[in-house]
Amino acid sequence: MQKTSIIRSDDLRNENRRRVLDTLRNEGPCTPSRLGSLTGLSAASISTLSSQMIDQGILGSERYQIDREKPLRGRPRSLLSLSPEAGHVLTLTLTIDLIRVQLVDYSGTVCDSHQEIVDTRRLNVEQLLATICQCIDIVRRQHPDSPLLHIGVGFQGQTEHASGKLLWSPIIRERNVPLGDTLQRRYAVSVSVHNDCRLISQALSRRQVDVLGNNFATVLFGHGVGLGLYLNGQPFAGTRSSAMEIGHLRFQSEGALCRCGRRGCIEAYAADYGIERLAGNMPVDTPPAGRVAESTMQTLRTAAESGDKAAMQAFETAGIAIGEGLTNVFTLLDPIPVALVGCSERSFALMRAGICSALDAHLVNGPAAESLLHCFEHDDPLLMQGLADNSLSAADRLLATKNPVSNAI
């Protein structure tokens, strides 16, 4: 009985510490009184917990005057904040032909970064893992004495929850790459591996809740086409994997060749290489291009806006393909807001009619498609922010259980 009581006491303390860290993460620096108001914890609990975490180097505290023109009587108030000295998280993004690493301190500031352009589709498992570890080591060598709390990975493809495997993606040569286990063994820290759309959805859920609400879909455009779902305020994933490969749903039977090797996928028409192929009047079985330069997409947009029929048709077909994919989502979930991410305003304008025509044919008694679509042009900042948020949340969970007596993580 006594042992059970101790366990429950520890669990309660850890939960309260986590509540404090979550609040400071979301709200920024707070006074103890505001922290108590936001967390529902008593002033005594806030005092005890904050003192412990200040001693452990997890929190920082500074004195300040609220209004210098009207000085407070007595001592200035204290302001509690997350300490950058508590450690770092490392974020890794793997997209087509690009590996990028960032080191983020516990307060959320990016301290260092490194990126390497590499043909990811030519590397075998050993070469891919070695290249990733080399990129990480370059950044880690600059900060050898700072504790590494967590590694978070964002991947342009399908991932497995439990092991952190890279299950499949057209951007890499191999399947079932054991990235999570490899990084955990090498760096002796917890590792999380997520699909890039999930991480972008997580960033949108925090920054665009007034627009998107608690239930929305994210369609990511670019080198591929991805889908992320946020349902009831939580990211949705499959039972084992990230699932939701909307880009590889069938759009046209025996149609254009996709990066996945099959024909007729939505991605083969709506990704940048699909639009380039259609606009150039290339055969549909032309092998997909690698990384399509943004300058090429700008040229195609300009051509379509100037009345070039092939370019106009390419963007319209891309829109219809996306609209058809979303009708499948709406059939399962009912209509929900859709964040179109990585799609420039110009591209959206060219695809809008195609998307809306496909959706409106499905939404006979529902809202107009136009009212559900929201364009967010820049996907990269959202991906990096979502990955940092997810990784720092993992660090919060770790430090919430840090023993206040032994100071052992």
Side-chain angles (χ1 to χ4, degrees):
M1 177 67 90
Q2 185 177 1
K3 183 177 180 181
T4 302
S5 298
I6 293 173
I7 292 174
R8 288 177 178 171
S9 176
D10 288 344
D11 289 346
L12 179 60
R13 182 204 68 204
N14 294 344
E15 174 59 30
N16 288 341
R17 284 164 63 101
R18 175 69 189 279
R19 198 182 307 177
V20 169
L21 296 176
D22 280 349
T23 302
L24 291 173
R25 179 77 59 203
N26 293 327
E27 299 292 329
C30 293
T31 63
S33 60
R34 175 163 172 74
L35 196 55
S37 175
L38 292 171
T39 61
L41 297 172
S42 68
S45 294
I46 292 293
S47 177
T48 299
L49 294 171
S50 62
S51 294
Q52 289 175 350
M53 288 191 280
I54 288 170
D55 289 342
Q56 293 174 298
I58 300 171
L59 298 185
S61 176
E62 62 176 292
R63 300 287 182 178
Y64 81 109
Q65 292 281 4
I66 293 180
D67 188 342
R68 294 185 178 181
E69 296 180 359
K70 299 178 181 179
L72 296 172
R73 295 181 180 179
R75 295 192 303 173
R77 298 187 181 187
S78 63
L79 195 65
L80 297 170
S81 61
L82 301 170
S83 172
E85 306 301 322
H88 290 86
V89 298
L90 187 141
T91 65
L92 165 72
T93 56
L94 181 59
T95 57
I96 186 168
D97 298 339
L98 181 65
I99 297 171
R100 179 169 44 189
V101 176
Q102 287 191 338
L103 199 66
V104 183
D105 71 29
Y106 188 61
S107 70
T109 300
V110 176
C111 302
D112 210 339
S113 63
H114 173 76
Q115 68 178 37
E116 194 160 321
I117 297 174
V118 57
D119 190 343
T120 52
R121 291 157 297 170
R122 291 187 179 274
L123 303 180
N124 62 30
V125 171
E126 292 75 19
Q127 291 169 332
L128 180 62
L129 292 174
T131 303
I132 288 171
C133 290
Q134 288 169 10
C135 292
I136 292 175
D137 291 343
I138 289 172
V139 173
R140 285 289 292 151
R141 279 196 292 269
Q142 305 302 315
H143 305 267
D145 300 324
S146 177
L148 184 59
L149 304 173
H150 183 79
I151 296 176
V153 180
F155 176 57
Q156 190 180 11
Q158 194 173 15
T159 62
E160 184 177 71
H161 307 315
S163 67
K165 282 183 182 178
L166 310 182
L167 294 178
W168 175 85
S169 173
I171 76 164
I172 60 175
R173 168 179 164 183
E174 307 282 358
R175 293 173 180 259
N176 300 314
V177 178
L179 179 60
D181 287 344
T182 299
L183 297 182
Q184 191 167 10
R185 287 196 304 269
R186 182 181 178 94
Y187 299 102
V189 294
S190 59
V191 178
S192 59
V193 181
H194 293 295
N195 170 267
D196 54 354
C197 286
R198 170 184 169 145
L199 296 167
I200 289 172
S201 294
Q202 183 168 340
L204 287 170
S205 73
R206 294 187 60 181
R207 288 155 183 78
Q208 299 292 336
V209 64
D210 292 342
V211 174
L212 300 173
N214 290 323
N215 298 282
F216 65 90
T218 299
V219 176
L220 176 61
F221 292 86
H223 313 301
V225 176
L227 174 70
L229 289 178
Y230 237 74
L231 302 177
N232 298 319
Q234 297 294 326
F236 175 83
T239 56
R240 182 179 72 93
S241 72
S242 51
M244 294 184 298
E245 294 290 333
I246 191 175
H248 302 288
L249 295 178
R250 183 66 57 83
F251 173 54
Q252 286 190 5
S253 179
E254 299 303 316
L257 183 62
C258 179
R259 278 204 184 107
C260 71
R262 294 181 295 182
R263 292 181 175 276
C265 297
I266 289 172
E267 177 181 300
Y269 297 87
D272 51 11
Y273 71 86
I275 294 172
E276 180 190 33
R277 184 167 53 191
L278 288 174
N281 288 314
M282 290 181 262
V284 293
D285 57 355
T286 302
R291 178 178 286 271
V292 179
E294 175 55 26
S295 59
T296 300
M297 296 305 297
Q298 289 178 358
T299 299
L300 294 176
R301 286 191 287 265
T302 299
E305 291 164 348
S306 300
D308 182 280
K309 290 184 178 180
M312 292 172 63
Q313 184 63 44
F315 280 100
E316 183 178 359
T317 301
I320 294 171
I322 292 298
E324 291 292 340
L326 287 173
T327 61
N328 292 320
V329 176
F330 290 175
T331 298
L332 293 172
L333 301 176
D334 286 336
I336 55 177
V338 178
L340 304 172
V341 179
C343 177
S344 72
E345 290 286 353
R346 291 172 64 195
S347 293
F348 178 48
L350 293 167
M351 289 191 288
R352 179 190 283 114
I355 298 175
C356 290
S357 66
L359 287 179
D360 284 335
H362 171 75
L363 300 172
V364 178
N365 297 314
E370 186 74 35
S371 68
L372 298 173
L373 303 177
H374 306 275
C375 186
F376 299 92
E377 183 165 346
H378 302 294
D379 59 305
D380 192 64
L382 289 170
L383 173 58
M384 300 310 297
Q385 189 60 62
L387 182 53
D389 288 347
N390 191 275
S391 302
L392 289 167
S393 180
D396 291 342
R397 291 192 296 271
L398 175 68
L399 294 181
T401 62
K402 186 176 181 181
N403 191 313
V405 176
S406 67
N407 287 339
I409 293 179

